[in-house]
Amino acid sequence: MDDATHMTPDEFRRCGHALIERIARYMEEVERYPVLSQVEPGSIRERLPPAAPEHGEPFAHVLRDIDEIIVPGLTHWQSPNFFAYFPANASGPAILGDLLSSGLGVQGMLWATSPACTELETHVLDWLVGLLGLPDRFRSTAAGGGVIQDTASSSTLTALLAARERASAGAVNEHGVGSGPGRGPRLTVYTSRHAHSAIEKGVKIVGLGRDNLRLVDADAGHAMRIDALESAIAADRASGATPAMVCATVGTTSSGAVDPLRAIGEICRRENVWLHVDAAHAGSATICPEHRGLIDGVEHADSYTFNPHKWLLTNFDCNCFWVADRAALIDALSVLPEFLRNRATESGEVIDYRDWHVPLGRRFRALKLWFVVRHYGADGLRSHVRRSVELAEWFAAQVRASEEFELAAPVSVGLVCFRHREGDAFNQTLMDRLNQSGALYLTHTRLDERLVLRLAVGAPATRREHVEAAWRRIAETARGLATGHGAVS
Ligand SMILES: *Cc1c(COP(=O)(O)O)cnc(C)c1O
């Protein structure tokens, strides 16, 4: 049998240079592609061979297929004309940090399996506590600490596990979910009607049951109503349930609404309920002192999460999760099989991040975040956030000044919810025409029973001229539709 033909370091050098060159060219060209991929379902697979190759192929052939097959099937998240969902920032330093993480090939499940992987992560997350204006109790040098996870969904799930363990006094981990002899109380969870679907998914995964998730009513600005939260908690207590967790959102996905953290936090303190804060998108904004008001009251939080992989120039995946009391998290998740025993763990002097999230194995993700923070510096990161916020404000001003369009929610950091006054069907057609044109990409939501268009600004390449062009095209396309002549293209 022949040996596997590993890539030699010299071949790697050659292929690597070619690939870096291809990525740099992509950065230069991304603006020219239709933002939303225009391919039909199945058309990418049609161009791939039915079976895997029996013999290895030259890397140049793979690169060729990137251009011919893969790129046409991409939706270009890094395009300056990408305004859909929330941004998913990529940046040079983050790409290089990810590459280095792959190049070192480290698996950081325990401190002992690569001390630098753990200590850099702990340290950079302590840095971010300061940069983002988070409470000092989240620092690893106090009773808390931060960890990098893959997504906000995973962090929210982890918070639910810790909250479940605390509220059941350990009964669920020992005996399982549900009431009965030796089992814990029925546990309930609260979040706003406009919270992310990740909460519901988490409640299903941890086995609390959707019946025990309360979707609390929101006010006219789509933020959680305090009176509704209080009465939901009181009703559950009266029926014998134990409230386990409130998940407050700072910047909902639909409209960027901000739940009143301070008032929610005071209720959680009084009721002894775990407060988790989901600031997946808007959390990046608090690097600017002028946006710290978003997290007023966060000192009451037991856990907090945000995604540098959305708006803070760090490639997917990179989510940050902090807890105020790391013991509560570790108690909920720790197991120690014989094959993982080691002297460092037993000394109690180190962090073993396997106890801070669901998987065992973990990548060296701190590298890319460290590269980003060092490349941009806090002032560079602030400029990025400020420019997005300013451009969104500019767009909102055009909507306000127009006769045909109106704002559908208060403008949030980097996000504008708006609609044409003609109603749902018109707005749907308008959005479809715009997205089919390839010139920009927008998505929608529903607020107050009505279809609403969302313009989220935050791609690193987006400049004033792109937002101006987007507004011009939106207004012209709407005019074309209104007069029945079809979209201007
Ligand atoms: C995007 C988003 C999430 C989900 O983020 P993932 O990292 O993809 O899991 C959760 N909550 C809010 C408010 C979001 O905007």
Side-chain angles (χ1 to χ4, degrees):
M1 199 162 62
D2 293 338
D3 271 352
T5 44
H6 296 301
M7 202 178 251
T8 65
D10 255 338
E11 280 177 291
F12 177 78
R13 197 171 274 126
R14 264 197 321 279
C15 300
H17 286 162
L19 186 65
I20 295 284
E21 170 53 32
R22 182 65 192 88
I23 297 171
R25 189 151 59 79
Y26 180 71
M27 291 168 168
E28 290 164 350
E29 291 175 351
V30 66
E31 181 168 357
R32 288 184 238 150
Y33 294 111
V35 189
L36 177 64
S37 174
Q38 312 281 316
V39 301
E40 295 298 323
S43 63
I44 306 298
R45 292 198 63 178
E46 231 165 54
R47 309 203 46 197
L48 297 168
E54 175 61 23
H55 302 293
E57 300 177 59
F59 190 70
H61 293 186
V62 181
L63 267 188
R64 185 197 56 209
D65 286 350
I66 296 296
D67 284 335
E68 294 182 0
I69 303 175
I70 302 301
V71 173
L74 296 178
T75 288
H76 299 280
W77 286 71
Q78 304 312 317
S79 167
N81 302 311
F82 183 98
F83 302 108
Y85 308 103
F86 279 132
N89 285 181
S91 73
I95 296 166
L96 294 173
D98 241 354
L99 182 60
L100 180 60
S101 168
S102 297
L104 299 177
V106 156
Q107 209 275 44
M109 59 187 175
L110 304 171
W111 179 87
T113 62
S114 244
C117 179
T118 294
E119 293 195 16
L120 182 67
E121 185 162 329
T122 307
H123 202 76
V124 170
L125 268 74
D126 277 355
W127 276 3
L128 283 174
V129 168
L131 285 178
L132 299 170
L134 296 174
D136 281 334
R137 34 188 224 124
F138 287 174
R139 287 180 195 268
S140 66
T141 46
V147 59
I148 299 178
Q149 304 217 14
D150 54 0
T151 58
S153 304
S154 292
S155 286
T156 296
L157 171 65
T158 309
L160 275 163
L161 288 166
R164 187 189 74 178
E165 177 72 354
R166 194 169 88 177
S168 71
V172 174
N173 270 354
E174 285 312 314
H175 309 295
V177 189
S179 46
R183 302 213 162 175
R186 185 165 61 87
L187 303 178
T188 48
V189 174
Y190 308 79
T191 196
S192 112
R193 225 162 250 307
H194 295 277
H196 196 269
S197 50
I199 322 292
E200 180 183 334
K201 196 173 184 179
V203 163
K204 285 164 65 175
I205 295 171
V206 302
L208 293 180
R210 215 160 26 194
D211 277 355
N212 294 312
L213 173 65
R214 307 282 171 259
L215 296 179
V216 179
D217 276 340
D219 63 20
H222 313 106
M224 191 192 289
R225 266 177 45 201
I226 290 302
D227 59 324
L229 174 64
E230 277 185 311
S231 50
I233 290 177
D236 284 325
R237 285 222 192 272
S239 75
T242 299
M245 184 172 109
V246 175
C247 177
T249 310
V250 171
T252 59
T253 315
S254 265
S255 73
V258 178
D259 291 340
L261 271 196
R262 179 167 298 285
I264 293 171
E266 281 161 9
I267 294 170
C268 289
R269 280 285 167 87
R270 195 176 69 222
E271 297 281 343
N272 192 25
V273 174
W274 186 287
L275 173 58
H276 175 62
V277 177
D278 174 5
H281 172 256
S284 293
T286 72
I287 197 162
C288 305
E290 68 271 26
H291 297 305
R292 294 274 161 83
L294 288 167
I295 51 167
D296 177 54
V298 70
E299 63 273 18
H300 294 305
D302 294 286
S303 54
Y304 182 89
T305 191
F306 95 107
N307 281 337
H309 69 219
K310 275 183 170 155
W311 194 14
L312 213 59
L313 298 164
T314 310
N315 284 57
F316 193 88
D317 51 0
C318 185
N319 162 269
C320 295
F321 177 65
W322 285 272
V323 285
D325 174 17
R326 61 180 173 270
L329 180 64
I330 295 167
D331 281 352
L333 294 177
S334 179
V335 284
L336 186 59
E338 187 55 37
F339 57 82
L340 293 179
R341 286 187 187 275
N342 66 88
R343 204 173 306 141
T345 297
E346 251 120 75
S347 77
E349 283 170 27
V350 301
I351 287 179
D352 288 323
Y353 273 128
R354 71 190 175 108
D355 293 335
W356 292 55
H357 60 174
V358 173
L360 170 62
R362 56 201 329 271
R363 307 171 55 218
F364 198 167
R365 291 193 191 92
L367 281 173
K368 60 183 163 186
L369 192 51
W370 189 44
F371 277 30
V372 164
V373 174
R374 292 184 68 182
H375 173 86
Y376 288 95
D379 59 357
L381 297 174
R382 282 185 206 112
S383 307
H384 170 60
V385 166
R386 283 181 180 137
R387 193 177 60 219
S388 315
V389 169
E390 230 173 79
L391 294 177
E393 294 287 352
W394 180 86
F395 185 89
Q398 313 311 303
V399 173
R400 266 189 217 104
S402 100
E403 308 255 297
E404 294 86 15
F405 288 89
E406 62 188 2
L407 292 176
V411 181
S412 146
V413 282
L415 173 66
V416 184
C417 290
F418 67 106
R419 66 184 154 228
H420 195 279
R421 294 180 193 276
E422 277 295 313
D424 286 4
F426 187 95
N427 280 290
Q428 181 72 54
T429 310
L430 174 61
M431 182 176 74
D432 293 345
R433 291 280 174 99
L434 289 165
N435 291 344
Q436 280 155 14
S437 80
L440 74 163
Y441 182 24
L442 290 176
T443 49
H444 76 282
T445 188
R446 287 195 88 80
L447 291 172
D448 309 315
E449 321 275 303
R450 287 195 286 180
L451 188 95
V452 167
L453 306 181
R454 292 167 77 265
L455 181 109
V457 185
T462 303
R463 300 271 181 287
R464 174 72 174 258
E465 74 217 55
H466 302 106
V467 180
E468 285 177 358
W471 170 247
R472 261 199 318 275
R473 182 169 284 263
I474 292 166
E476 281 168 16
T477 307
R479 250 172 266 136
L481 274 176
T483 54
H485 296 312
V488 178
S489 56

